[in-house]
Every structure is written in C-alpha cells, then in structure tokens.
Amino acid sequence: MPSPGGRGSGMPDVLVAGGCGFIGSHLVRRLLQRSDLARLVVVDNLWTGREGNLSDIADERLEIRVSDAETFSDSSKFDEILHLASPASPAWYMADPIRTIRANVLGGLNLLQLLKPGGRFCFTSTSEVYGDPLVSPQPEHYRGSVDCTGPRSSYDEGKRCVESMLFESRRVSGTNIRVARLFNVFGPYTRADDGRAISNFLNQALTTGVLTVYGDGLQTRSWGYVDDIVDALERYFWLDAIDYPGPLNIGNDREVSVLEVAEYICSIVPGCRIEFAAPVPQDPTNRRPDLSLARSVLPGWIARTGYEEGVTLTLEWFQTQRGQSLQDPLLKRPGTAALVGQDARAT
Ligand code: UDP
C-alpha cells in the first residue's frame, strides 16, 4: 500500500486513539507496514481495548500510552491522527453512556488540538448515524431516523457530534479530514465478552452451545469481515490522492438477518441450538450500506468476504484463543458430546 506524503516534512508521526481495540489493533498492524512512518503512538484507556491485542508486535516505532483520549497530551503534535477511541458494542456503550460520549466528543476535541497544521484527522464514525433507517440501502446523504434521547443515543449522537465538529473545523479552518461510516464489523481480535452478535454467537457456540437471538432475529445487518473493512480504511485514511473528506460508507452490502447468521453457526458447530430472548429496545430493523460512493472514492476496493467465510475464520481465531484444537475442538465443551447428534435447534 503506498504511503502518504505531502505532509511537508519528512516521516510522519501518527497517533491512533483506540489502537488496542478490535479495529484499532488491525489498523496499527497495517500502519507498521508503512516504511515512511517515524513514530506510531497508540492511546488507549483499555476500557474495551486490550494491550494483548498488540503484545506480539516488536517495532521500536510503536509506543503504547495508557490514557483516556480526552486527557492525553504529548510534547509534540502529529501528522496523522486516527480517532477510534470508543466502545462499539451496544452492551458496552449502554453500560456507561456518559463515558462513551466523553470518549468520542471530548476525545475528539482534545485530539484535534494535537494535529499539526496541515495534518490529517481520520475518524471512524458509524452506520448508527442512520438510526433505524427508513430507506435501504442507506446512502451517505440519508439523514437518518434517529432518537437523540434513546438507549443508543450516547454512541449515535457521540459519533454525530464528532462528525459535526470535524466538518465545521474543515469549513472554518480548512482541516484535512476523512470520516468513514462503518457498518457492522466482525472478526479476530474481538473480545470474547464483546457482546455483539457474531462474537457472542461464536463464544456461545464454544461454551454453552446456546445462541441467544434477540427478538425474532429477522432484523438485518450487513456483516463486514474486518480484513475487508481495514483494507478500505487503509486506502481511505492513508492515500494522499484521495480528495474526499467523507462521510464515506464502508461495509459489506450483503444484507443478512441475525437469525440466518445464528442458523449458519449452528450448522457448522455441532450440538448448538438457538434460544430466542427479549428484543432489544430500539434495535434497528435493518442496515445496508449504499457503497456507490465507496466504489468511486476507493477504486478496486470491494468487501469480498462472505459472512460464512468470515465466521469460519473468526471461529478458528476464538478456538485458538481458547487453546482448542482446530480439528476437534468442540468436544472440549462441557456437555457437547451428549448434544452431538441431537436435533437441539429451536428454529
Ligand atoms: N444480537 C442478538 N444476539 C446477540 C447479540 C446481538 O440477537 O447475542 C442482535 C442484536 O439485537 C442486533 C444484531 O444482533 O439486532 C446486531 O447486534 P450487534 O450488537 O452486533 O450490533 P448493532 O448493529 O446492534 O450495533
């Protein structure tokens, strides 16, 4: 991947806020492949991120600083800043909504002060800005169907506020910004207790064997495998040739119901079954990105990994994390042997 230049002075210093998190840690690995990088500072308060996500990296350019994004300071400023400092799982952001707002909004304001003049500020926003969408697929110009006082509002409005701050900073001061709106992302380096659908289902499959589908499971999402999503972010955030501040939808535009994903996991992990649980309040009924703009801004990029392949890769990763053998791991689950062969599925 070509490296950006044009920031004027030599090798860039880069800061990634949230770099120990799920997507952040993937981006850090990609950044360290850049030969032009002088220094890579990761700022993470380890709320949802884990230092272990980066612990296998030996690179003297990498510096991990345990700090909130909103209070982080440094003696020098940065050529490129990537703001990913926020929980993204509803279970986590709903557990501490004020802290979520603080991480996004105060974090964003503080980090902006650390940008060198002429530097680039990149932000991972979210499809949550579309709320429970009334149009499908959702193009970037769709303004959303949102509830600014609802249970998801800390995350949704936190992200919207940072978008606003960045676009106003660009308008008033000419700040160089790139705003990506990520649809659902899954894959390796997710926490086992993250709580989002695919990681939850896989960890349930590997432990209790009971997959909890909230509501009737007919709500849909567009499931983006992390490698595809990070491919897009790498191009969008790195490349100087791109002259588009955003917002830019990034995701996989194949729309699949939650129930279908759970059923698929049951079909590849013997002995699993589905249990339906109470619906989540204000759970969006559908989500699918319109990727027309992404195709023109990021020529050649495509989310090529189907959820089936992505789920398999993620399952293998979780198995490795749990120390299970890839050949016959499921028999290590208590009670699995008794379940194999039974038609235990509740669908
Ligand atoms: N979901 C589910 N069971 C789980 C976790 C999530 O049925 O164990 C559902 C959730 O209600 C939502 C969808 O899966 O409809 C995606 O949820 P997730 O938390 O992954 O992300 P969201 O798109 O809601 O932010």
Side-chain angles (χ1 to χ4, degrees):
M1 176 58 54
S3 311
R7 225 93 55 240
S9 56
M11 312 255 281
D13 290 337
V14 178
L15 182 152
V16 181
C20 292
F22 162 44
I23 297 178
S25 59
H26 283 268
L27 272 173
V28 164
R29 283 167 204 282
R30 301 281 183 110
L31 275 162
L32 290 171
Q33 288 169 21
R34 272 171 55 175
S35 55
D36 72 328
L37 205 77
R39 179 177 177 230
L40 175 54
V41 175
V42 164
V43 178
D44 204 302
N45 61 9
L46 306 180
W47 174 14
T48 56
R50 290 174 301 186
E51 256 178 309
N53 282 351
L54 301 178
S55 58
D56 60 320
I57 299 176
D59 191 314
E60 58 190 19
R61 297 170 300 171
L62 176 64
E63 198 182 309
I64 299 176
R65 306 266 294 271
V66 178
S67 166
D68 290 325
E70 58 269 32
T71 53
F72 175 74
S73 65
D74 193 79
S75 51
S76 54
K77 296 200 172 194
F78 294 86
D79 300 278
E80 298 170 41
I81 294 180
L82 281 58
H83 181 16
L84 294 89
S86 172
S89 164
W92 283 77
Y93 67 69
M94 287 181 193
D96 202 338
I98 303 302
R99 192 178 182 190
T100 301
I101 294 171
R102 217 186 291 134
N104 278 288
V105 179
L106 298 184
L109 284 165
N110 182 46
L111 295 173
L112 197 53
Q113 307 306 310
L114 298 175
L115 190 68
K116 278 186 193 167
R120 177 184 296 154
F121 196 104
C122 304
F123 178 56
T124 49
S125 184
T126 171
S127 60
E128 284 288 320
V129 302
Y130 303 123
D132 189 6
L134 303 176
V135 302
S136 180
Q138 295 89 52
E140 288 83 351
H141 58 77
Y142 177 53
R143 293 184 185 173
S145 162
V146 291
D147 176 0
C148 68
T149 63
R152 303 174 82 95
S153 63
S154 65
Y155 186 67
D156 306 5
E157 300 301 320
K159 293 287 189 184
R160 288 165 77 104
C161 184
V162 179
E163 285 202 18
S164 161
M165 178 190 85
L166 292 176
F167 279 91
E168 291 298 12
S169 173
R170 176 174 189 267
R171 191 174 63 78
V172 172
S173 315
T175 308
N176 182 353
I177 63 166
R178 301 221 174 145
V179 174
R181 289 182 180 160
L182 303 186
F183 285 64
N184 292 63
V185 187
F186 71 98
Y189 291 94
T190 316
R191 299 174 66 103
D193 61 354
D194 172 82
R196 277 175 285 184
I198 290 182
S199 59
N200 232 20
F201 292 157
L202 290 176
N203 280 284
Q204 289 170 330
L206 294 173
T207 54
T208 62
V210 180
L211 279 57
T212 52
V213 167
Y214 305 148
D216 59 13
L218 300 181
Q219 65 273 32
T220 60
R221 295 292 187 273
S222 305
W223 311 94
Y225 185 62
V226 66
D227 285 357
D228 291 336
I229 303 310
V230 173
D231 277 347
L233 288 176
E234 184 177 358
R235 289 170 204 229
Y236 185 46
F237 287 172
W238 281 212
L239 291 180
D240 279 334
I242 293 172
D243 182 24
Y244 179 67
L248 187 70
N249 285 344
I250 294 177
N252 186 319
D253 60 0
R254 182 175 159 209
E255 188 175 10
V256 178
S257 75
V258 171
L259 184 58
E260 185 177 329
V261 172
E263 287 177 334
Y264 178 71
I265 292 171
C266 286
S267 77
I268 61 168
V269 182
C272 290
R273 67 186 170 85
I274 289 169
E275 233 173 57
F276 291 92
V280 175
Q282 296 198 8
D283 200 354
T285 53
N286 69 101
R287 262 319 149 61
R288 179 180 171 217
D290 182 329
L291 295 177
S292 314
L293 201 49
R295 286 192 197 97
S296 84
V297 172
L298 311 173
W301 174 75
I302 184 172
R304 58 188 78 249
T305 313
Y307 80 86
E308 300 92 332
E309 186 189 346
V311 158
T312 304
L313 293 167
T314 311
L315 174 65
E316 288 172 1
W317 185 81
F318 276 122
Q319 286 173 316
T320 307
Q321 296 300 298
R322 298 174 57 81
Q324 293 178 318
S325 117
L326 298 185
Q327 280 69 40
D328 192 18
L330 302 169
L331 295 180
K332 290 193 173 178
R333 191 177 74 213
T336 300
L339 285 169
V340 171
Q342 289 177 14
D343 185 10
R345 290 165 60 175
T347 56

